[in-house]
Amino acid sequence: MKNRTQNILVFVVIGFLFIPLAFQLPGLNEKVQPLNGAFEKTDTLAFSIAAWKDKTWQENRANLQKNNLHIRPSIIRVKHELDYRLFHEFHMSDLLIGKEDYLFSIGWATSRANKHTLNADSIAAFGTKLKKLASVLQQKGKYFKIIIPPAKEEIFHAYLPTELAQENVDNDYHLYIQTLQNNDIDYWDLLPFYQQLMDTCSYPLYSKTSVHWTKYGASFTLLKLLADMESNLQLKMPQLKITKLNISKFANGDGDFETTLNLLNKIDNSDFAYPSYTVDTSNSHVHKPKVLTIGDSFYWGMKGTWMLPQVYTMDSKYLYYYNTVYYNGNQPSQNIKDIDIVAEFKSADAIVLINSPHNLDGFPFGLDSDMDKIIEGLKELPNAE
């Protein structure tokens, strides 16, 4: 009986050894979800005598087995799950675990709790230029709006670790606000707006395990912006409306921190809302504005409706950190240096600047260096009637 039990155990162990091989088979390996984030994948090195002699070919073959094994994502997820659940250890940068498993950006939480990193003189000079830009845009009949979406660290500051819970009144956020106020520049600080919304909304506006607002949360700012733009420009724009809320667990970018953790089980099991939209373009006098948006990753939630090509012109652009240019259509992205920024401002109907309050390190990301020539270029246009 003892020998029989030992034999069974031996065959079970041998069976486990063949599991990685089984996952290499077509069909089974397709069910293994790829890892999220940056993970090493090895390209095949062609055989040569030189590569064989210096052992780079042998090293490449070993790395192919290690890094490209189809079961590797599942093995890594098991390890990450155990590390996180048992020891609260994680395998990604810029992550801060708060109370009750709320996930934050450690950089943004530190920015909220510490004294400002912005150069006060530089931001004051930018504020002066920004005031001139706002004035000339108004003279030329163009729409201009500065939007400050609430950071996750503001919305859920009660869940920050105790050592980072206290806000520093001299942080970048307050310096930026003070600069705008000193120059009488109109802006939306959306923190009170979202705090009020959270008292009435049934679904998350900000995910417990994401750094940004949800797709549903972003929709409130998008609809608010489009209504204000239409009113200001006094033009009939295509009407973007939410027709239905699809309810599911998080997807499509919501819970982005949690997704990058590559765990086996969800931390946030809340029901999330995903709006379905329609665009009404039936009015014969409808006008699609050309919009330049400058800012950080909070814009992706607004763009994630995938309806903006029906609302903005196809040559509308998103200047991501005033560095990479993304088109409203399907054109390839470009570097900011590869476009005529003055011509873009002159041809735009609307300019929108959007940036999270605790993501201001390095702000305004190079826009200030182009402000003088942009202002001078805009002055060449006729004034609005």
Side-chain angles (χ1 to χ4, degrees):
M1 183 70 180
K2 181 178 179 181
N3 289 337
R4 183 182 177 186
T5 302
Q6 289 176 338
N7 290 337
I8 292 173
L9 290 174
V10 168
F11 279 108
V12 169
V13 171
I14 292 174
F16 274 111
L17 293 176
F18 277 92
I19 289 177
L21 177 61
F23 275 89
Q24 298 295 105
L25 298 174
L28 283 178
N29 60 48
E30 294 176 1
K31 298 180 180 180
V32 178
Q33 294 298 315
L35 296 169
N36 296 286
F39 282 86
E40 182 181 3
K41 189 173 179 65
T42 302
D43 295 325
T44 302
L45 178 69
F47 177 80
S48 68
I49 298 298
W52 179 76
K53 284 184 175 179
D54 65 13
K55 298 184 179 181
T56 55
W57 184 82
Q58 292 92 322
E59 291 173 1
N60 175 255
R61 302 309 296 178
N63 287 332
L64 282 171
Q65 294 297 320
K66 182 180 70 173
N67 297 328
N68 298 0
L69 193 66
H70 290 303
I71 198 176
R72 182 172 180 250
S74 297
I75 294 172
I76 288 177
R77 284 194 170 92
V78 170
K79 181 181 187 304
H80 286 195
E81 180 81 16
L82 293 173
D83 286 345
Y84 185 85
R85 304 295 180 180
L86 297 180
F87 309 109
H88 257 199
E89 293 181 358
F90 47 86
H91 303 270
M92 62 177 292
S93 60
D94 194 37
L95 176 64
L96 176 69
I97 301 177
K99 301 171 184 175
E100 298 182 24
D101 274 334
Y102 276 76
L103 305 183
F104 300 95
S105 161
I106 190 169
W108 292 11
T110 301
S111 177
R112 179 181 185 272
N114 291 347
K115 190 175 174 62
H116 64 78
T117 61
L118 290 173
N119 182 285
D121 292 337
S122 296
I123 200 66
F126 174 68
T128 301
K129 291 183 180 181
L130 201 58
K131 181 178 182 178
K132 292 179 182 178
L133 177 64
S135 177
V136 72
L137 287 171
Q138 183 179 27
Q139 292 172 10
K140 308 307 176 183
K142 297 180 183 292
Y143 178 83
F144 179 57
K145 184 62 63 179
I146 294 175
I147 300 175
I148 305 174
K152 167 89 170 285
E153 292 69 27
E154 286 294 343
I155 292 288
F156 294 122
H157 65 269
Y159 295 93
L160 285 166
T162 304
E163 64 272 17
L164 291 173
Q166 185 65 39
E167 182 184 24
N168 192 319
V169 295
D170 292 326
N171 63 26
D172 289 337
Y173 172 32
H174 292 290
L175 179 59
Y176 183 35
I177 293 291
Q178 190 61 55
T179 300
L180 297 175
Q181 292 176 347
N182 290 344
N183 289 280
D184 296 318
I185 299 170
D186 185 34
Y187 66 93
W188 289 348
D189 184 353
L190 294 178
L191 179 59
F193 176 64
Y194 274 85
Q195 287 174 327
Q196 185 176 14
L197 283 174
M198 291 182 71
D199 291 335
T200 58
C201 289
S202 302
Y203 300 101
L205 303 178
Y206 281 71
S207 168
K208 175 180 178 179
T209 60
S210 175
V211 69
H212 302 102
W213 48 24
T214 62
K215 295 289 191 300
Y216 178 56
S219 70
F220 290 93
T221 294
L222 178 60
L223 295 176
K224 177 181 173 70
L225 174 64
L226 296 179
D228 190 63
M229 192 182 297
E230 182 181 59
S231 175
N232 185 278
L233 292 173
Q234 297 183 355
L235 295 169
K236 185 65 177 178
M237 291 170 50
Q239 298 299 297
L240 180 63
K241 295 182 179 179
I242 296 176
T243 56
K244 178 184 176 183
L245 291 179
N246 303 296
I247 310 304
S248 72
K249 302 306 178 182
F250 72 72
N252 301 324
D254 293 342
D256 52 6
F257 265 163
E258 177 174 350
T259 301
T260 310
L261 280 173
N262 290 298
L263 304 177
L264 286 174
N265 300 294
K266 287 185 182 293
I267 300 170
D268 190 348
N269 279 296
S270 305
D271 288 330
F272 286 74
Y274 293 94
S276 292
Y277 298 86
T278 59
V279 179
D280 182 4
T281 58
S282 60
N283 191 299
S284 59
H285 300 292
V286 73
H287 175 82
K288 289 184 179 182
K290 177 179 178 179
V291 183
L292 289 184
T293 305
I294 305 168
D296 64 9
S297 50
F298 266 79
Y299 180 68
W300 292 121
M302 298 165 64
K303 194 176 188 301
T305 63
W306 307 116
M307 305 301 288
L308 287 184
Q310 299 181 50
V311 181
Y312 296 167
T313 62
M314 296 301 282
D315 63 339
S316 294
K317 297 175 180 66
Y318 173 39
L319 312 183
Y320 184 48
Y321 287 102
Y322 202 70
N323 180 31
T324 306
V325 181
Y326 293 94
Y327 284 78
N328 194 36
N330 294 322
Q331 300 96 316
S333 61
Q334 293 178 277
N335 189 280
I336 190 74
K337 296 177 182 178
D338 296 329
I339 65 171
D340 185 340
I341 193 62
V342 175
E344 293 292 341
F345 268 79
K346 291 173 71 173
S347 61
D349 299 298
I351 311 295
V352 178
L353 183 60
I354 179 170
N355 214 96
S356 173
H358 300 307
N359 186 30
L360 292 166
D361 186 19
F363 182 83
F365 314 119
L367 173 61
D368 52 332
S369 62
D370 288 335
M371 290 278 272
D372 290 334
K373 65 181 183 181
I374 290 171
I375 292 169
E376 291 305 310
L378 287 168
K379 288 179 179 179
E380 297 171 1
L381 298 175
N383 289 341
E385 296 180 0

